[in-house]
């Protein structure tokens, strides 16, 4: 029996479970708690633009105003806010302090419940949800495959699961892997810094690493260079993003102790093992996000 306490936050009572330390990286979770309490003021435009990218493969049949939904690793709760009006009830689950940032972002809303817990303990019966999603979460968990199995178990037969996992650059030229290798060296150092210093360093990296590529892409777009050419420039995905999102993602990328990367083949195998079928990958960024139907 996992112990829980009820914590009164600004807009709702949040059930907080004593998360068992099995399939979880506590340093990573603590880092995200700080990150999402620093970044939760997304503009409508940022939310709409980024949300449309993640949910491009989700149809009305999969998710609609009759759906009971769970956001696994909800962080700031930004996707719950993006989905406003597209669910009957939604649970946001996250083991970190981010759950309190989500409470603030989502305001008073009877259709939204927040729970502080992890994939090891999703406190709902198996087969409870019509639609579940986990965006940018499971690659920060030691055993991604187990976390996926534990999450998909909560979806009912015929329901759907949307996942986004960091990719292995298999659809990119070789120099992406070189940039990744170098950036990973930087991440291994930066993620160990104390939180405040880490945020400052990541802001600096947003300016000196992200912005040169972003500005180059914006310039090439301005002079009419087609997207299929700009696509081969690292960080082109950010050319239409605000500096706020770029700073947020810089902290997310360089500040996080544990990250893993997966190919479409590995993701397909994990989703299949978790009990999903009709797996469909988006051919658009962010890579890779895929949706599957629970058998
Ligand atoms: C990169 S953030 C993504 C947040 C949100 N999905 C988004 O896209 O804005 C990863 C989130 O996963 C959560 N997380 C880490 N380990 C977890 C676990 N074992 N179970 C559930 N969530 C976890 C973190 O606390 C963090 O909020």
């Amino acid at each position: 029996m996992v112990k829980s306490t009820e914590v009164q936050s600004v807009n709702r009572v949040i059930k907080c479970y004593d998360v068992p330390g099995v399939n979880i990286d506590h340093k990573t979770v603590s880092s995200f708690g700080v990150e999402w309490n620093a970044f939760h003021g997304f503009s409508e435009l940022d939310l709409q633009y980024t949300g449309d990218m993640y949910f491009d493969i989700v149809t009305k049949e999969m998710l609609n105003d009759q759906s009971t939904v769970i956001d696994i690793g909800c962080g700031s709760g930004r996707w719950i806010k993006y989905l406003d009006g597209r669910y009957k009830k939604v649970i946001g689950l996250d083991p970190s302090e981010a759950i309190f940032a989500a409470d603030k972002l989502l305001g008073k809303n009877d259709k939204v419940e927040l729970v502080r817990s992890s994939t090891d303990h999703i406190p709902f019966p198996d087969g409870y949800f019509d639609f579940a999603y986990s965006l940018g979460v499971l690659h920060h968990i030691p055993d991604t495959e187990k976390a996926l199995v534990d999450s998909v178990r909560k979806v009912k037969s015929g329901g759907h699961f949307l996942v986004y996992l960091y990719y292995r650059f298999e659809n990119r030229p070789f120099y992406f892997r070189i940039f990744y290798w170098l950036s990973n060296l930087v991440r291994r150092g930066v993620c160990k810094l104390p939180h405040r210093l880490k945020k400052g360093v990541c802001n600096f990296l947003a300016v000196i690493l992200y912005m040169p590529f972003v500005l180059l892409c914006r310039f090439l777009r301005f002079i009419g260079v087609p997207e299929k050419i700009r696509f081969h420039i690292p960080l082109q995905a950010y050319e239409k993003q605000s500096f706020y999102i770029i700073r947020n993602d810089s902290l997310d990328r360089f500040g996080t102790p544990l990250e893993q990367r997966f190919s479409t083949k590995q993701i397909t195998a994990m989703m299949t093992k978790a009990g999903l079928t009709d797996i469909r990958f988006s051919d658009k960024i962010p890579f890779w996000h895929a949706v599957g139907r629970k058998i």
Side-chain angles (χ1 to χ4, degrees), residues 23 29 32 36 73 75 78-79 94-96 118-119 135-137 141 252:
N23 194 15
V29 167
F32 279 123
W36 294 118
R78 58 183 170 163
W79 307 131
D94 202 285
S96 76
S118 78
T119 53
L135 302 178
V137 174
I141 298 181
D252 204 284

